[in-house]
Amino acid sequence: MQSARVLSIGEFSRLTHLSVRTLRRYHDAGLLEPARVDAASGYRYYTGEQIPTAQVIHRLRELDVPLTDVQRILRSSDPGTRAALVADHLHRLESGLERTRAAVASLRRLLQPEPAAVDVELRRVPATTVAAVEDDVQLRDVLGWYAGAMAELDAVVPEPAGVPGGVYENELFETGRGHVLVHLPVAGPPSSGRVHPVTLPAVELAVTTHVGTHDDIDVTYGELGAWVVEHLLAVAGPVRETYLVGPRDTADPAAWRTEIGWPVFQVAPA
Amino acid sequence: MQSARVLSIGEFSRLTHLSVRTLRRYHDAGLLEPARVDAASGYRYYTGEQIPTAQVIHRLRELDVPLTDVQRILRSSDPGTRAALVADHLHRLESGLERTRAAVASLRRLLQPEPAAVDVELRRVPATTVAAVEDDVQLRDVLGWYAGAMAELDAVVPEPAGVPGGVYENELFETGRGHVLVHLPVAGPPSSGRVHPVTLPAVELAVTTHVGTHDDIDVTYGELGAWVVEHLLAVAGPVRETYLVGPRDTADPAAWRTEIGWPVFQVAPA
DNA sequence: TCTGCACCCTCCCCCCGGGGGAGGGTGCAG
DNA sequence: CTGCACCCTCCCCCGGGGGGAGGGTGCAGA
């Protein structure tokens, strides 16, 4: 073990392709402690054994893993835990990729030279009592939450009287967190687990139908919003979505049909 | 045209799913000017026509397009130019994806429980004169630059006396920008365009061979570096790579063989 | 017409993960 | 012993937001 050979921060930088500044930052963050720090001068000294660690950090950073998570990964002595943490981040990367794909799809539709005319209907909806699951969720967790809630609803409501729907508080889109409710219409809604009866109030809805995956549903939202504004209406409450045709019905996303209803009320002309 | 209906920033926020703060920021950045700003109160007022613009911004931001570039895209009135700018960013996204893929591959190798023993040889190399192309480049542009330089070399040196190589200044890896040289050995190197004769100085090299794509070549660099350190050597100059088997020879990346040579010199023991 | 309240304003500080540069101390080779 | 490359700390900057303070505004109900 003659590796008592000690490396200055500059040498270590050349060997690891991490900048000197970055190495100092990793030291401060407790991520990569130098093998020795001279008490008098403050000089940092590294050893060859630290190169693999530095490389792992480098790679994790390339994958945009936050420094705190990198630290967690390095600290976990158990290889199984470590692998799990890494796999977790790789999943995160994948879902990020999915969002990117969706954004690209949506952008393509937005940049269409001639957007299709939007078909909006004004509809008065009476109060309805449904079987519902509701919660406060983060915007990015909505899909996962929805899947779980829907599964629970399906288990408790074997024979729904119609298609499922969702109610989304505007705050969800403004601040990234908000109240969400998913429901199935049924006569005499049960109470079981998270499922309970909820009465949706009567409202006047501006309704349009989005066709296809939800990748570019925001564009339809925008078209609906523009229509609402031009018809001297204002938004009065949480959005309602109705899943006329969804993944429960067909695996072909192009066939999906989602009704979007925005509660509105008349506004005096300017 | 009854869309004189004017929207407060809060209403506009609800319609576009952009936070109020973010809308204000976009105003300050000149990205999305409100239709009207009340001189007395400073209140921002928007119209329905601005919704699509806000959505385009939203999507581009989801794709991590910097605000300045978003502005460029919005300002370009010509749809062709606009499409080109967007396509440019999509290409950028793709190459980012490529880098992510490479980082994942490299990480997998790094987290192997038992790393393969590295096979390093100390080799004295005499001064050689070669046909070369050199330049100062950004680290991220190296691959593209290399392809162009190599094509030029191939055109001017029809019958090389050996395999191609590269010389990379350490600064390239430290600061992301540095001097790069690519060369082909040939008797009597010509001068033509960017191609010119260069004499590589004699050095002592610590040499190892990396097998496979360059995705995880940094790991081999690290192993070589650790070996160098443990053998009481220090790095003395720019790295030399020799492409024994590369994309010129076979399309199968698994068969590629790259020799990495780090100039070294002896160091006194601690 | 008043009052209450939701809404809006600006301003400042914080986050992350780095880079630039100033100003000053250190280690080592010639 | 001197010069110079190297190293140190400290502060400010970037982008793209978020949190919150402190104060002005618009409008609906009484």
Side-chain angles (χ1 to χ4, degrees), chain A residues 11-242:
Chain A
E11 289 179 292
F12 195 70
S13 160
R14 278 186 283 280
L15 291 171
T16 58
H17 296 169
L18 288 165
S19 80
V20 169
R21 302 193 79 93
T22 301
L23 287 173
R24 285 202 274 251
R25 178 177 312 274
Y26 290 171
H27 177 199
D28 293 346
L31 254 182
L32 185 61
E33 209 81 19
R36 191 171 70 79
V37 178
D38 187 293
S41 67
Y43 277 31
R44 295 166 178 87
Y45 294 101
Y46 297 83
T47 69
E49 281 92 27
Q50 300 187 280
I51 294 176
T53 308
Q55 289 195 316
V56 170
I57 299 176
H58 199 170
R59 279 306 169 293
L60 291 172
R61 283 301 305 137
E62 279 184 3
L63 298 176
D64 276 331
V65 177
L67 288 187
T68 53
D69 295 22
V70 172
Q71 188 165 30
R72 251 195 291 280
I73 290 171
L74 293 177
R75 290 276 159 90
S76 64
S77 43
D78 171 31
T81 313
R82 177 179 305 208
L85 285 169
V86 171
D88 195 47
H89 272 287
L90 294 185
H91 285 132
R92 219 181 299 277
L93 271 180
E94 269 183 59
S95 66
L97 193 61
E98 193 51 36
R99 273 196 302 281
T100 300
R101 203 188 53 70
V104 170
S106 166
L107 190 59
R108 283 198 205 292
R109 182 173 157 203
L110 272 172
L111 296 180
Q112 293 282 335
E114 210 48 49
V118 61
D119 187 14
V120 181
E121 172 197 346
L122 214 54
R123 183 191 303 168
R124 182 166 300 277
V125 171
T128 343
T129 299
V130 293
V133 173
E134 53 188 318
D135 207 347
D136 266 47
V137 296
Q138 298 279 113
L139 181 53
R140 63 167 170 279
D141 303 330
V142 163
L143 272 103
W145 179 88
Y146 180 88
M150 203 62 229
E152 199 166 336
L153 271 175
D154 278 331
V156 175
V157 182
E159 291 188 17
V163 294
V167 180
Y168 303 93
E169 204 69 52
N170 287 313
E171 201 186 3
L172 176 67
F173 305 108
E174 288 168 37
T175 68
R177 176 175 193 86
H179 200 78
V180 174
L181 180 151
V182 53
H183 63 82
L184 266 178
V186 67
S191 267
S192 159
R194 294 189 294 164
V195 179
H196 58 278
V198 164
T199 300
L200 302 174
V203 279
E204 181 135 15
L205 289 181
V207 177
T208 192
T209 302
H210 174 81
V211 177
T213 81
H214 287 191
D215 287 355
D216 56 354
I217 201 167
D218 278 35
V219 181
T220 305
Y221 264 92
E223 290 167 354
L224 178 58
W227 186 93
V228 165
V229 169
E230 277 164 26
H231 287 72
L232 294 176
L233 298 165
V235 171
V239 187
R240 304 194 181 184
E241 292 187 357
T242 310

